[in-house]
């Protein structure tokens, strides 16, 4: 979409439809009024800043008198903001950039909403990893069900069952809709699939021989491969809290490797990294 549209009788319906997708600023101006051309330039700069969120449509009142009359414009310059096909705000005369920005921000989407919308688009494309990064940032700004549910979906798709479970536990009864129930069912299936015969056998073996370091390490690896990372981390950390040299340092090294695999931005990894450092220092 071009930065500035010239509003005419022929494209007015197009502009009205566009306002259902993003905020549209209608600037009524005239060449013979320098203050109105100055305002138009300021609005062009702001629209460039908010590209994709704000569309500028200029109305030259010297050639579009009928449109000026239709919108009942009494003075120039005048700016109207359209959303969902209707005027929602506006101002007459020249305003400073800061004043205009304050008016626009009442109607422009918040940063978290933009990230949420982009994340949903990424989920539809099948790119859960890209969606996950956006949703994590959005959730830090807005921890409502609106963000938590798609965040949980992205976690399920990327195998982070622990975070998905934590997120779903925060959803209040009023927000437990069909989407929520679907995610709960997906989590249940994923947890059952993660409880493999290999894990059960290793757990039984470790229960019978709690000091068997080799079995402990094999079980931690199997849990990690099943995306049960919180259990894997706790399994390794608990004996390390009693003996940092367990397995001649092999258990500590395995824990560090697992933390590295989870990455710096992983909340669970950060938690266990702090716990390990408290033992080391």
């Amino acid at each position: 979409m071009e930065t500035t549209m010239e509003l005419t009788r022929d494209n007015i319906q197009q502009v009205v439809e566009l306002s259902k997708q993003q905020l549209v600023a209608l600037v009524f101006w005239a060449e013979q009024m320098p203050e109105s051309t100055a305002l138009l330039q300021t609005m062009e700069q702001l629209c460039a800043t908010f590209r994709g969120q704000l569309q500028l449509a200029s109305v030259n009142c010297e050639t579009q008198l009928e449109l000026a009359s239709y919108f009942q414009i009494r003075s120039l310059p005048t700016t109207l903001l359209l959303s969902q096909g209707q005027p929602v705000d506006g101002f007459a005369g020249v305003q400073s950039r800061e004043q205009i920005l304050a008016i626009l921000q009442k109607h422009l989407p918040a940063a978290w909403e933009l990230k949420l919308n982009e994340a949903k688009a990424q989920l539809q494309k099948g790119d859960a990893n890209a969606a996950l990064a956006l949703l994590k940032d959005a959730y830090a700004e807005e921890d409502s069900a609106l963000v938590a549910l798609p965040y949980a979906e992205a976690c399920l798709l990327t195998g982070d069952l622990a975070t998905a479970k934590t997120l779903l536990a925060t959803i209040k009864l009023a927000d437990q809709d069909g989407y929520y129930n679907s995610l709960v069912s997906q989590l249940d299936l994923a947890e059952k699939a993660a409880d493999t015969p290999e894990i059960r056998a290793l757990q039984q073996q470790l229960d019978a021989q709690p000091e068997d370091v080799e079995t402990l390490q094999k079980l931690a690896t199997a849990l990690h491969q099943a995306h049960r990372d919180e259990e894997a981390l706790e399994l390794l950390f608990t004996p390390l809290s009693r003996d940092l040299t367990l397995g001649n340092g092999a258990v500590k090294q395995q824990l560090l490797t697992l933390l590295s695999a989870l990455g710096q931005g992983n909340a669970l990894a950060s938690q266990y990294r702090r716990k390990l450092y408290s033992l080391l220092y």
Side-chain angles (χ1 to χ4, degrees):
M1 182 68 67
E2 57 200 274
T3 304
T4 304
M5 300 174 63
E6 291 188 14
L7 189 66
T8 67
R9 286 194 310 170
D10 296 333
N11 67 4
I12 187 169
Q13 190 56 41
Q14 179 187 355
V15 171
V16 169
E17 290 301 315
L18 180 62
S19 75
K20 296 177 182 179
Q21 302 170 28
Q22 59 180 285
L23 190 65
V24 174
L26 299 182
V27 178
F28 295 83
W29 68 291
E31 191 72 47
Q32 62 184 353
M33 300 185 67
E35 61 271 31
S36 70
T37 59
L39 174 67
L40 187 59
Q41 289 175 358
T42 300
M43 291 301 297
E44 286 174 342
Q45 293 168 1
L46 287 169
C47 285
T49 300
F50 296 103
R51 188 180 296 274
Q53 305 172 52
L54 176 65
Q55 175 64 48
L56 178 61
S58 67
V59 186
N60 187 340
C61 293
E62 293 176 0
T63 59
Q64 302 294 333
L65 286 172
E66 188 177 346
L67 286 178
S69 175
Y70 174 80
F71 283 100
Q72 299 182 349
I73 302 304
R74 300 284 181 260
S75 62
L76 297 180
T78 291
T79 302
L80 294 180
L81 299 180
L82 265 61
S83 179
Q84 300 301 317
Q86 300 293 328
V88 292
D89 210 337
F91 57 89
V94 177
Q95 303 278 341
S96 69
R97 180 186 176 91
E98 291 70 25
Q99 289 172 317
I100 297 171
L101 192 57
I103 295 170
L104 290 175
Q105 287 179 331
K106 291 189 294 182
H107 305 283
L108 289 170
W112 68 267
E113 291 179 276
L114 297 174
K115 292 171 186 173
L116 175 62
N117 291 336
E118 176 60 22
K120 286 180 176 179
Q122 294 296 337
L123 283 174
Q124 288 185 337
K125 291 178 185 177
D127 193 344
N129 286 309
L132 187 62
L134 290 163
L135 289 163
K136 182 178 179 181
D137 288 345
Y139 190 70
E141 299 172 34
E142 173 64 32
D143 60 354
S144 67
L146 201 61
V147 183
L149 289 173
Y151 186 11
E153 180 183 0
C155 288
L156 285 170
L157 291 171
T158 55
D160 187 355
L161 304 187
T163 301
K165 191 170 188 175
T166 299
L167 288 166
L168 290 173
T170 68
I171 305 302
K172 297 176 181 177
L173 186 61
D175 297 313
Q176 292 179 12
D177 55 9
Y179 184 23
Y180 164 83
N181 291 326
S182 172
L183 294 175
V184 169
S185 296
Q186 290 177 48
L187 175 62
D188 182 53
L189 290 172
E191 287 184 326
K192 287 177 180 176
D195 189 20
T196 65
E198 179 194 9
I199 289 175
R200 289 197 296 271
L202 286 168
Q203 185 64 66
Q204 290 172 0
Q205 193 175 334
L206 187 62
D207 289 343
Q209 297 177 297
E211 305 303 319
D212 187 341
V213 174
E214 184 179 352
T215 300
L216 180 140
Q217 290 186 271
K218 287 181 179 179
L219 178 56
T221 298
L223 288 168
H224 171 58
Q225 290 172 342
H227 302 294
R228 294 167 63 176
D229 291 312
E230 186 168 10
E231 293 173 73
L233 289 168
E234 186 61 26
L235 182 69
L236 294 169
F237 180 79
T238 299
L240 281 177
S241 64
R242 298 189 295 267
D243 181 7
L244 273 171
T245 65
L246 188 65
N248 293 321
V251 176
K252 182 179 73 174
Q253 184 56 51
Q254 184 175 5
L255 178 60
L256 289 169
T257 300
L258 179 52
L259 293 173
S260 178
L262 292 174
Q264 289 292 331
N266 184 281
L268 187 61
S270 297
Q271 176 189 339
Y272 275 86
R273 201 173 279 114
R274 288 192 298 269
K275 292 171 75 170
L276 179 60
Y277 287 166
S278 68
L279 294 179
L280 295 172
Y281 307 109

